[in-house]
Amino acid sequence: MPDRYVDAVRARRAELRAERSLLTGDHRAEIRSCLALSRIAASTRSGEAFACLAREAADHVEAADRAARQRLPALLATAVHTLAVEVHDGWASALRPALRRIAAERDLTVDLQWPRLPAPLIPVVPTVVPIPAAPPRSLLAGAAAGAAVWRLALFPLAVLPLLGLPVLAGPTLAPLAIAAGVAAVVATARVRRTAAERARLRRHIEQSLATAALAVDADLGRRLVELERAVVPVLDAAVLRRRAAVDAELALLAPAPAGEASRG
């Protein structure tokens, strides 16, 4: 006839021994592995998100009018802030359950709010595009530029013979020709100004996003280091407490009957 007490003691002793095998310190390696994997996943998501934002901003620069281009730096700063918050929140929401699982598998008692993650540092993107100082121009360069502008303004007069009009008609058509030349100068200046604005915006976007991406990745590393320093001692203490409780319960159980060890 089976002895139910002996069977229960034997089963409980096996449970305790299996539990104690998880309390030998391997939780540290599991924590470090969990943190490293979370860093890789978060960095991957961050890189993809910043690349997508860079493409969107570049398309906006090319398609936007001047008013929209002036609003773009502020919109970019808001987008970077939102992106950084999402990266950090995604990292935290994925890492917290994984760390709690490590504690739960070992039946460790931890605080309901554990682990408390360090606060992130969100990068700040300038909302104003810096205008680089123009390099000093020599007198010869200034004279050449002025001559080029006047040639463009007087170009309509030069093409009169090509249009079949007499050169003597120049004085009569001069106001119209000069007006057309001035319009061409204004249009050229506007095109150059637009191209310069877009070039500054592109540089601003590239530099801002590159700096922000590095800042987010570096801050993830900082949070991981601080988190490991906080998490490992807590679990170390919890492991010691649980192991002491397991050992105490094992000691209270009746000794194994003869031949139990040989049966496993």
Side-chain angles (χ1 to χ4, degrees), residues 198-221:
R198 285 175 172 164
R200 285 196 300 270
L201 267 179
R202 283 192 290 268
R203 287 194 298 271
H204 174 73
I205 291 169
E206 292 174 0
Q207 295 172 359
S208 297
L209 293 185
T211 302
L214 289 175
V216 168
D217 194 65
D219 197 43
L220 283 172

Side-chain angles (χ1 to χ4, degrees), residues 8-19 250 253 260 264:
V9 169
R10 183 183 298 115
R12 181 55 180 161
R13 186 181 293 111
E15 291 176 358
L16 291 172
R17 287 172 177 168
E19 183 175 349
L250 279 171
L253 292 176
E260 180 183 342

